[in-house]
Amino acid sequence: MAPKSDAVGKTYPPTNYAVGREKVREFAAAVGEENPLHHDLDAAREAGYADVVAPPMFAVVFGGRAMAPALFDPEVGIDFSRMVHGGQEFVWGPPVVAGDEIATEVEVKDVAERGGLQFFVFESRSTNQDGDTVCTGTWTNIVR
């Protein structure tokens, strides 16, 4: 079955995420990040940050939540029983710190069939409370 390419260009309302200090610390510990900027408030402030700094891949926390409406949208038409994760790419802006309010919007960038596989590509754009783009993500899912 051919993928539903008419969903390309569709955007979803932003989701909001309040970055918490303990969430940053828990994420850093879970991924083995030992840099004191991610754990120690004093070290982060001494380095010029307002609070502990989220590791770059913390983007999957606020970005993943925003992806759900697109992934489950019947207009996109992903068959989850046959889906595999194809990859993620991120371009980071200013660091995310505890206390930030992140709004993430998702857009369907491409839906295509190649070699009998369906490719679904989404872009997430995350901005902080100051309007700075803290992360742009490209999320690719493949349906076998």
Side-chain angles (χ1 to χ4, degrees), residues 3-15:
K4 300 177 180 181
S5 61
D6 52 338
V8 173
K10 184 173 183 179
T11 58
Y12 299 84
T15 60

Side-chain angles (χ1 to χ4, degrees), residues 4 7 10 12 67-78 80 108:
K4 300 177 180 181
K10 184 173 183 179
Y12 299 84
M67 285 292 299
L71 291 173
F72 291 102
D73 185 346
E75 289 182 31
V76 175
I78 294 177
F80 286 96
V108 180

Side-chain angles (χ1 to χ4, degrees), residues 17-20 50-52 54 94-103 127-130 134:
Y17 185 87
V19 179
D51 212 307
V52 294
V96 171
V97 299
D100 279 353
E101 297 280 338
I102 307 296
T127 57
N128 64 17
Q129 66 281 355
D130 298 322
V134 296

Side-chain angles (χ1 to χ4, degrees), residues 19-40:
V19 179
R21 183 181 297 153
E22 293 310 313
K23 290 294 183 185
V24 168
R25 287 174 171 156
E26 290 167 359
F27 183 89
V31 299
E33 181 58 69
E34 297 177 358
N35 186 320
L37 296 179
H38 307 304
H39 299 278
D40 184 330

Side-chain angles (χ1 to χ4, degrees), residues 110-126:
D110 190 32
V111 177
E113 186 170 346
R114 293 188 292 274
L117 301 173
Q118 297 176 352
F119 289 79
F120 297 84
V121 181
F122 303 89
E123 180 178 88
S124 62
R125 292 175 296 278
S126 301

